[in-house]
């Protein structure tokens, strides 16, 4: 009788995982382990550890109730070895197996480790493709038409072979700033049950020095709760998702975003079901096309695309540094103590929620990292630590490619650099700031204003022939030598006191 050990990793929490195909409960065994190395190779936000371990425990319970035999090891079990390889080795020695089956890990580092197991174990290891995604690695290579192809393939928001409404993209309607505070629905919350409370205590005891606030913890941790969160988004927020996608408001961390990335990235939700729910809402006339198209393009477009770039460019993508940026990450990325109100807001909300929405990550935290010339390794490390949805396959292309342009233009066609005027247009942060967003230079001028030009000056050799930056370099050419010197002086002065900025 041939027996398989089916290894399920912490972000593979779905009953449809390829590793479970053909599983025979009479003889096979599922192995799941909470391993220290997974949450300390970068020191995850406390909330993220609670989320992952609690979701794993709930998923294991669900599997057991459905009759699957599961060998689950908790972090504080006496015999837990702390590494996934050692765990498989330990369990393999207790039970006799003929084969190990695993779905391809989402991260390159883990896949490379598992491939090496082949020479360490005397039994075969079958690595199956990751069916949580719509686009395979092979399809990505021939993804000539970019992100539109998946909409055609899965017939999402299509009508007679054409995109619904005639356009593939409605972003032009999606850049409205908030004029006044209006009712933003509360995000989905669930009360921690006994399992989650146990994990909260475990994290408090074992990872006290990790970044972020542990409590209150309100993420869903089961498939059922993730579906409730999806429902709540579709019913309450999707209608305004498009219009206010780029807007930011003081003390409003959640806005009209979906807050589904945590669930999508650990398998509790699948991209196609989210896209279909949004499409259904449009068909019922409950949400406008610009919102629905925008959401679908992100879930089955951008998300699949960044994953494709990650696997296509790894290894090597991690060490890209197109601008040779070397500056260390300022302390306020950890403490939130800074006079720059926009950065303070985003870091404080990140500490509290292990979440910031896209435009905060891109145009405040990311924009600052880009124009201040922060070292891509340090910036990537920070983003990997602080967000509950961070996994290298999605974090790295967003940071190295989209935000820092450290890949020299593989993912995006130009760096997303912007001055304070953009932040002022899209948010109300500047009203409560120590700095003056309308001032270009001097001690109380908004640092984004001079750092933006300093960035373009510093990187002229690398950027001046980028056709999307021609206008900016023309403006720079018209600047007097005196003005350019003032920009450089203000920037150097700012860099000199960066940790206290
Ligand atoms: P919504 O705004 O509601 O968007 C809906 C969904 O679309 C998201 O849940 C997500 O699954 C998907 N999506 C949207 N944009 C992207 C994108 N650029 N890349 C991939 N998926 C996208 N996303 C992560 O999941 N993990 C990360 O570690 C991560 N790091 C990021 C770092 C930076 C610097 C930037 C600019 C973006 C990053 N993103 C990351 C993408 C995006 O910001 C988050 O997916 C989003 O903020 C999650 O919140 P939400 O679920 O409310 O998203
Ligand atoms: Fe940020 Fe500048 Fe506005 Fe202050 S003035 S909140 S630093 S953009």
């Amino acid at each position: 009788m041939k027996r398989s050990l089916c290894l399920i990793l912490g972000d593979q929490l779905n009953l449809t995982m390829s590793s479970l195909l053909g599983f025979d409960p009479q003889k096979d065994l599922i192995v799941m382990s909470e391993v220290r190395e997974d949450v300390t190779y970068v020191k995850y936000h406390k909330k993220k550890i609670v989320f992952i371990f609690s979701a794993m425990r709930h998923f294991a319970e669900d599997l057991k109730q459905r009759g699957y035999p599961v060998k689950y090891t908790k972090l504080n079990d006496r015999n837990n070895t702390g590494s996934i390889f050692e765990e498989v080795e330990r369990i393999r020695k207790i039970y006799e197996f003929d084969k190990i089956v695993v779905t391809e890990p989402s991260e390159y580092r883990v896949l490379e480790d598992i491939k090496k197991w082949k020479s360490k174990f005397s039994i075969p290891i079958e690595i199956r493709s990751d069916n949580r995604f719509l686009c395979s690695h092979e399809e990505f290579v021939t993804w000539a038409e970019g992100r539109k192809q998946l909409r055609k393939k899965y017939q999402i928001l299509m009508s007679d072979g054409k995109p619904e409404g005639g356009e593939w993209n409605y972003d032009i309607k999606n850049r409205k700033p908030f004029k006044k505070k209006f009712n933003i629905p509360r995000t989905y919350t669930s009360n921690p049950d006994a399992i989650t409370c146990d994990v909260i205590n475990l994290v408090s005891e074992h990872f006290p020095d990790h970044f972020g606030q542990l409590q209150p913890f309100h993420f869903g941790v089961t498939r059922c709760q993730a579906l409730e969160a999806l429902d709540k988004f579709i019913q309450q927020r999707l209608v305004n998702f498009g219009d206010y996608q780029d807007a930011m408001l003081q003390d409003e961390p959640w806005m009209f975003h979906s807050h589904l990335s945590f669930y999508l990235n650990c398998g509790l939700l699948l991209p196609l079901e989210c896209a279909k729910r949004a499409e259904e809402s449009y068909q019922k006339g409950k949400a406008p096309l610009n919102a629905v198209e925008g959401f679908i393009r992100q879930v089955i477009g951008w998300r699949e695309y960044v994953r494709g770039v990650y696997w296509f460019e790894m290894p090597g993508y991690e060490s890209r540094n197109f601008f040779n940026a070397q500056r260390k990450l300022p302390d306020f990325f950890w403490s939130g103590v800074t006079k720059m109100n926009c950065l303070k807001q985003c870091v404080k909300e990140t500490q509290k929620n292990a979440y910031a929405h896209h435009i905060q990550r891109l145009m405040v935290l990311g924009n600052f990292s880009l124009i201040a010339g922060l070292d891509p390794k340090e910036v990537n490390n920070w983003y990997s630590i602080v967000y509950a949805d961070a996994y290298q396959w999605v974090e790295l292309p967003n940071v190295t490619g989209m935000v820092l342009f450290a890949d020299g233009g593989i993912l995006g066609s130009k760096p997303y650099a912007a001055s304070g005027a953009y932040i002022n247009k899209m948010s109300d942060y500047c009203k409560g700031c120590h700095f003056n967003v309308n001032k270009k230079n001097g001690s109380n001028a908004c640092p984004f204003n001079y750092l933006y030009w300093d960035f373009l000056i510093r990187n002229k050799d690398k950027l001046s022939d980028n056709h999307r930056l021609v206008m900016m370099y023309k403006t720079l050419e018209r600047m007097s030598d005196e003005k350019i010197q003032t920009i450089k002086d203000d920037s150097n002065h700012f860099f000199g006191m960066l940790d206290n900025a």
Side-chain angles (χ1 to χ4, degrees), residues 233 241 245 254 256-262 264-265 294-300 302-304 306-307 355-363 365-366 379 383-384 387-396 398-400 402-403 411:
F233 166 67
F241 173 86
Q245 217 179 122
W254 308 101
F256 289 101
H257 293 270
S258 68
H259 326 135
L260 296 176
S261 50
F262 336 110
L264 277 162
N265 293 355
F295 177 73
I296 289 176
R297 177 156 37 87
Q298 289 176 23
V299 176
I300 68 166
W302 262 109
R303 187 168 181 274
E304 298 281 332
V306 299
R307 174 177 180 259
Y355 175 86
H357 63 74
H358 186 66
I359 224 67
Q360 294 177 308
R361 295 189 207 195
L362 181 66
M363 295 311 293
L365 297 155
V379 181
Y383 276 96
S384 307
Y387 293 116
D389 58 20
Y391 297 86
Q392 196 188 38
W393 66 266
V394 55
E395 175 280 324
L396 182 63
N398 270 298
V399 172
T400 281
M402 191 185 286
V403 154
L411 192 107

Side-chain angles (χ1 to χ4, degrees), residues 318-333:
E318 283 169 298
S319 46
R320 298 280 185 144
N321 191 351
F322 180 66
F323 297 122
N324 195 21
Q326 303 286 342
R327 202 173 308 286
K328 90 179 219 327
L329 198 81
D331 288 347
F332 62 74
F333 269 73

